[in-house]
Amino acid sequence: MINKKRKLIQKKIIKKLSKFVKKGDIINCEFDLTKFNSILAISKNKFHFINFFLEIFYNLIGPKGTLIVPAFTYSWGKDKKKKIFDIKKSLPKVGILPSYLISLPNVSRTMDPMFSFAILGKNRKYFSDISNNSFGKNSVYEKILKKKGKLISFGLNQFDPTFVHFVEQYYDENFSKLKYRYLKKFSGILIDKKKKKKKKSFFCFVRKSKNNMVFNGKKIQVNLTKKNKLNRVNILNNDIYIVNSSDFFREGLVGLKKSKYFFVKN
């Protein structure tokens, strides 16, 4: 009975999302599954619960698609006494879904000590080959833009794609400096799949600690909506936002050129 109800709900969700997510799509999806208690109630365990959502996206993008999910650990942050990132053992700080994904044999993980990703699908090798700059050249985010990937906010409190920091760094490097963020060097130990340890450095475009600016996505949300570039779908009483990375990138640059504080507020 549980499985029958589960399949029925999945079918309805897939029908809604299939208008915007197609076979072969590359999607960068940020999840907050804590909002979907109704699915948890009909799940046998947490793995059954997680797979409810994974099955939906497998169905939507098919075998030629690619799913990219944040598995951020912030392993070299200033609050960490030991600056160590173990690609196999360092657990994500962004929910149960990425922690489950990195345990699967068909999932690749990027070697980024701060902003790693779990990647599955056709292009996982391409997206796993990254530089040491989380939001810069040859980053996962730049590759998402080049491959015309889609950004999805699934169950988040607000429209808040981390892709925004790629846009901010691009603007900072190519147009004009932003006063509230800067490129910071982090150093520590990386442990790869073969358990080999290496001392490395990584660069992240981070918020200045003495700056009280916080992210504000309302302006770009309004602008994208006016141009019919942002799709909002209600799934089980939660808003799901879907936008093409190229549209977000383009609109973000337009906004920053008008105001350097386009993405933030006090």
Side-chain angles (χ1 to χ4, degrees), residues 158-213:
Q158 59 180 336
F159 176 57
D160 185 12
T162 311
F163 184 84
V164 66
H165 303 318
F166 167 74
V167 182
E168 289 173 318
Q169 183 170 333
Y170 185 92
Y171 177 85
D172 183 88
E173 292 176 347
N174 293 280
F175 295 98
S176 182
K177 295 295 179 184
L178 296 177
K179 294 181 179 180
Y180 59 90
R181 282 189 176 269
Y182 71 107
L183 194 64
K184 182 176 180 178
K185 181 180 179 180
F186 294 85
S187 297
I189 301 294
L190 292 178
I191 304 176
D192 64 20
K193 291 179 181 179
K194 296 180 180 179
K195 299 182 180 180
K196 289 184 179 180
K197 296 182 180 181
K198 292 181 181 179
K199 288 185 179 180
K200 290 285 185 179
S201 294
F202 244 82
F203 295 87
C204 298
F205 198 57
V206 300
R207 184 171 62 87
K208 292 181 178 178
S209 58
K210 294 182 180 180
N211 196 295
N212 61 353
M213 294 288 181

Side-chain angles (χ1 to χ4, degrees), residues 41-218:
I42 61 169
S43 299
K44 298 174 184 177
N45 51 50
K46 69 175 182 179
F47 302 111
H48 196 235
F49 171 65
I50 292 169
N51 276 303
F52 173 89
F53 298 97
L54 289 179
E55 287 165 9
I56 287 171
F57 283 96
Y58 288 149
N59 186 289
L60 287 167
I61 65 176
K64 293 184 178 181
T66 305
L67 175 62
I68 303 167
V69 179
F72 306 158
T73 62
Y74 318 112
S75 296
W76 292 357
K78 63 180 180 180
D79 61 324
K80 306 294 182 183
K81 291 183 179 180
K82 294 182 179 180
K83 315 292 187 184
I84 300 173
F85 175 73
D86 188 322
I87 197 168
K88 282 190 172 183
K89 296 182 180 179
S90 295
L91 294 177
K93 306 296 184 184
V94 283
I96 59 172
L97 189 144
S99 295
Y100 173 66
L101 281 177
I102 64 172
S103 71
L104 300 179
N106 63 333
V107 173
S108 295
R109 189 181 193 184
T110 56
M111 188 66 91
D112 186 324
M114 300 294 281
F115 297 93
S116 70
F117 285 90
I119 306 165
L120 63 160
K122 183 181 178 182
N123 294 293
R124 66 189 176 109
K125 287 186 178 180
Y126 169 76
F127 284 102
S128 299
D129 181 19
I130 60 168
S131 66
N132 66 337
N133 195 322
S134 297
F135 301 104
K137 291 185 180 300
N138 205 40
S139 65
V140 170
Y141 291 109
E142 185 184 62
K143 291 187 172 196
I144 288 170
L145 179 64
K146 285 183 176 180
K147 289 288 187 179
K148 300 179 181 179
K150 294 176 180 177
L151 311 175
I152 301 179
S153 298
F154 197 94
L156 275 62
N157 287 327
Q158 59 180 336
F159 176 57
D160 185 12
T162 311
F163 184 84
V164 66
H165 303 318
F166 167 74
V167 182
E168 289 173 318
Q169 183 170 333
Y170 185 92
Y171 177 85
D172 183 88
E173 292 176 347
N174 293 280
F175 295 98
S176 182
K177 295 295 179 184
L178 296 177
K179 294 181 179 180
Y180 59 90
R181 282 189 176 269
Y182 71 107
L183 194 64
K184 182 176 180 178
K185 181 180 179 180
F186 294 85
S187 297
I189 301 294
L190 292 178
I191 304 176
D192 64 20
K193 291 179 181 179
K194 296 180 180 179
K195 299 182 180 180
K196 289 184 179 180
K197 296 182 180 181
K198 292 181 181 179
K199 288 185 179 180
K200 290 285 185 179
S201 294
F202 244 82
F203 295 87
C204 298
F205 198 57
V206 300
R207 184 171 62 87
K208 292 181 178 178
S209 58
K210 294 182 180 180
N211 196 295
N212 61 353
M213 294 288 181
V214 295
F215 174 73
N216 177 24
K218 289 184 178 179

